[in-house]
Amino acid sequence: MTLRRPRKLIRATVIHTLLIAICATMILPFLVVLTASLKCPVLGDVMSPAQPDFFPQRFHWQNYLLGWRAGKLGVAFRNSALIGIVWTIGTVIVSAMAAYAIGRRECLGHRWLLLFFLSSLMFAGQTAIIPQFILYRALGLYDSLAIFMIPGAGAFTIYLLCHWFKNVPREIEEAAFIDGCGEWSTFWRIIMPLSLPALATVGLFAFMGSWNNFIGPYVFLETESKMTVPLAISYYMVASPTDEAGRAAAVMISILPVLIVFIALQRWFLRGLSLGALKG
Amino acid sequence: MTRPVDLFRTAAPISRTTLLCPGLYQHLNGDRFTGTVLFVLAAASVSALIFFLLSPSDPFEHRTTRLAIATIVLFWVALLSVLDSFQRPGRGALYLILLPAVILFSIFTYLPILWAAKLSFYDHNIATLVQGGAPFVGMENFEKILGDEKFWLGLSNTIKFFLIGFVLGQFPAPTLAYLLNEVKSAKLQTVYKCICFMPSLFSWPIIGAIWLWLLKPDGQFDQFVAPILALGGKQTIAWLGDPAIARVVFVCVGLWMGTGASALIWLASIVGIDPALYDAAEIDGAGHWSKFRHVTFPLLIPTWIVLTILAFIGMFSIFDQVIVMQNPLIRQSVFVLMLHIYEQSFRHGLMGYAAAMSLVLALVVLILTMVNLKISNKIQIT
């Protein structure tokens, strides 16, 4: 026993040291941008040896105002939030409906239907981007935010919800049928409320997917007033080579809300990833 | 109580061959009628689609688009109402619940893929997209691909990206998962998990901007690694200016972003292993190594396969990162196929040619995924 103790201690120390080192590599890049965003914009490029100190001498909060204005982040945030909320709600409801019919009620051909949805994962999504461009043009949706609000039934969402719905106790549903509930009201009143945790997780990931979608807006949106956050950031980065401080501030502004949401909802994020692992 | 559904539920498990032909499954399980109806419907819809794809009218006019969408909707409504008639009464609503997802998916996911096939036989450009009347050129677009040096450069770069990512990506995520699993305190583990997962929360423009700053000549990263480089007798490395290492740098930034997320997936499957299996192995006299070799390792292979396939598909459609992080100095070595497709279609307006290329890319991905699955099935059996 006495021999084992120090060994365990050494082991724990090594593991924690390694983990702290890894965490430092994850955090440091963000910290560098955070401090850079507060440096003096006039003294020279905030990202170069002109201002070598890690910490700024004085906090220049006006960078944030500059970044917000020059990056046109106000409009971008509004658009991204609008798209994200509408799309997420639509997608989660539509996917849950399909998952209910396929996974829970096992309608005729449920295996085929699941295969129908899952096969889309075999195609790299971006290869269809040209025909999509043409489809949206033909529907008169090109350069409109509506493209990103059309609920798409996510293959992965349906798959995860199918798994979840299978584990809801059968008795509840049978009791509902005896009480005269139809399929729709059973789904809406019984299954959906019981599945809120799964729906929240899936919805969170759907929202993140929409929020971080870059290639779609990059290809399908032209007008400046319709930009989303990733698009606004990427344009701002190439547009003004001089005001690094404002750009760093703009990046920080777009990071912060996501970070706050993540810290508030970290349980759901981590749960979502272990749900994803069920697949394996 | 036997319901008609039970006929299907107790039937033989679905096999891959029965999927080749709609209705075959029902036929084999004794339900001739459903099988025949399904087959006829599927055959009719396929021939309608072929007719639609080969028809002389331009499919990209508004009228034709609406026709196509109407066809899809009608097809699914018909199919689902037929299915409905074989169900216990009262289950009809089930198919209405199913309908929106199926229709949206057909229109916005599968229809574009089918159209890419048609588009690739036409010499489409921006003008013909608006006015219609693109000339049919047969296989010309595909012939053009054979002689297009940029296509082959793009393809080889894409494959190199995947290979580099595959080699470098094997080690970090499982190691991180192992380390996280060793942390005993749940709170501390959550903190570590959150921090490791954090970079994958952000989109490529943000991640790209951060690393472009860090990797600048004389930037923060250079100052940080200067002592290490000095040991090797080197002054500085142009991280984003040297074509020889640009791909590795890109992959490393991608790994920095994604390792945390995949480590958490690894961790979930490590935790998910039934402890009883280890106990059983211990009773049989297994040591550390043979427990790993015979319990942990085989049970983690499915996770490895899924993550590899996902990484594979991700690497073949790598685009965001390149758009954000490329510069003229390293363009040749990070010029991926998606970038070529994007430039040909949206910069030069060669829609037909770009569609042909994207079709080839999709086929390559499809075939390689199949090969991947085949190989990994073999690994699983042994």
Side-chain angles (χ1 to χ4, degrees), chain B residues 170-205:
Chain B
Q170 289 304 316
F171 184 59
T175 315
L176 183 55
Y178 171 78
L179 290 175
L180 285 171
N181 195 29
E182 293 294 308
V183 177
K184 294 290 176 281
S185 141
K187 264 196 186 146
L188 212 54
Q189 199 190 35
T190 312
V191 172
Y192 284 139
K193 274 182 186 170
C194 285
I195 294 174
C196 292
F197 180 64
M198 195 179 62
S200 42
L201 285 171
F202 306 107
S203 54
W204 268 111

Side-chain angles (χ1 to χ4, degrees), chain A residues 208-231:
Chain A
M208 287 309 295
S210 159
W211 186 268
N212 285 339
N213 183 4
F214 173 64
I215 188 168
Y218 188 74
V219 174
F220 299 131
L221 295 180
E222 269 180 346
T223 323
E224 214 167 58
S225 64
K226 286 171 186 156
M227 281 196 300
T228 61
V229 173
L231 205 58

Side-chain angles (χ1 to χ4, degrees), chain B residues 47-370:
Chain B
S47 37
L49 269 173
I50 289 174
F51 177 76
F52 167 71
L53 287 172
L54 296 181
S55 68
S57 77
D58 197 317
F60 309 111
E61 289 167 40
H62 295 205
R63 192 178 54 82
T64 336
T65 309
R66 288 191 195 124
L67 199 75
I69 291 172
T71 317
I72 288 172
V73 174
L74 272 180
F75 166 68
W76 281 108
V77 170
L79 180 62
L80 294 182
S81 57
V82 167
L83 283 176
D84 176 40
S85 62
F86 292 97
Q87 294 274 330
R88 188 163 67 138
R91 271 172 72 110
L94 205 54
Y95 294 97
L96 291 181
I97 289 175
L98 187 62
L99 207 55
V102 172
I103 287 179
L104 285 170
F105 215 73
S106 311
I107 294 175
F108 292 104
T109 305
Y110 283 120
L111 185 65
I113 294 173
L114 279 176
W115 272 2
K118 167 146 193 177
L119 201 58
S120 59
F121 295 108
Y122 286 82
D123 184 17
H124 253 293
N125 55 43
I126 292 285
T128 54
L129 274 186
V130 182
Q131 299 150 7
F136 181 80
V137 291
M139 297 299 284
E140 228 165 74
N141 282 328
F142 292 95
E143 279 160 27
K144 202 169 150 195
I145 287 177
L146 291 177
D148 184 356
E149 270 175 35
K150 278 186 150 181
F151 174 85
W152 296 107
L153 176 70
L155 191 62
S156 76
N157 277 338
T158 308
I159 291 170
K160 280 176 196 159
F161 260 114
F162 169 67
L163 289 178
I164 296 170
F166 183 76
V167 172
L168 295 182
Q170 289 304 316
F171 184 59
T175 315
L176 183 55
Y178 171 78
L179 290 175
L180 285 171
N181 195 29
E182 293 294 308
V183 177
K184 294 290 176 281
S185 141
K187 264 196 186 146
L188 212 54
Q189 199 190 35
T190 312
V191 172
Y192 284 139
K193 274 182 186 170
C194 285
I195 294 174
C196 292
F197 180 64
M198 195 179 62
S200 42
L201 285 171
F202 306 107
S203 54
W204 268 111
I206 292 172
I207 301 289
I210 292 174
W211 280 96
L212 285 182
W213 279 320
L214 290 174
L215 295 174
K216 255 175 23 173
D218 274 338
Q220 311 272 6
F221 192 74
D222 270 356
Q223 291 168 23
F224 185 71
V225 295
I228 305 167
L229 285 182
L231 282 179
K234 270 202 163 186
Q235 288 296 307
T236 48
I237 295 178
W239 301 106
L240 291 171
D242 187 349
I245 59 163
R247 274 190 297 259
V248 178
V249 172
F250 273 42
V251 169
C252 286
V253 174
L255 284 178
W256 174 80
M257 184 178 170
T259 298
S262 37
L264 291 189
I265 293 176
W266 277 103
L267 181 64
S269 36
I270 292 175
V271 172
I273 295 175
D274 188 356
L277 290 173
Y278 287 111
D279 294 343
E282 223 160 85
I283 290 167
D284 290 346
H288 266 293
W289 167 247
S290 54
K291 266 198 278 185
F292 175 76
R293 168 69 187 84
H294 296 288
V295 181
T296 319
F297 186 69
L299 286 175
L300 289 183
I301 280 185
T303 310
W304 180 75
I305 292 168
V306 169
L307 285 175
T308 307
I309 291 175
L310 286 182
F312 170 76
I313 294 174
M315 273 297 182
F316 263 79
S317 46
I318 179 173
F319 178 72
D320 298 17
Q321 185 185 9
V322 175
I323 283 279
V324 176
M325 290 184 73
Q326 67 159 338
N327 64 51
L329 286 175
I330 51 170
R331 191 178 149 81
Q332 282 292 313
S333 66
V334 298
F335 186 79
V336 290
L337 200 48
M338 266 313 291
L339 197 62
H340 188 41
I341 294 173
Y342 172 78
E343 284 179 355
Q344 290 300 312
S345 52
F346 296 107
R347 296 263 167 81
H348 304 293
L350 298 171
M351 291 292 178
Y353 180 47
M357 285 195 291
S358 64
L359 208 65
V360 172
L361 177 62
L363 273 180
V364 170
V365 172
L366 204 65
I367 291 168
L368 290 180
T369 314
M370 294 287 190

Side-chain angles (χ1 to χ4, degrees), chain A residues 30 48 54 86 108 142-143 154 164 167 171 180 196 233 252 258 264 275:
Chain A
F30 292 104
S48 70
F54 187 70
V86 173
L108 275 180
Y142 178 68
D143 193 24
W164 180 274
N167 296 328
E171 293 79 24
L196 277 182
I233 292 286
M252 279 325 288
V258 177
L275 262 181

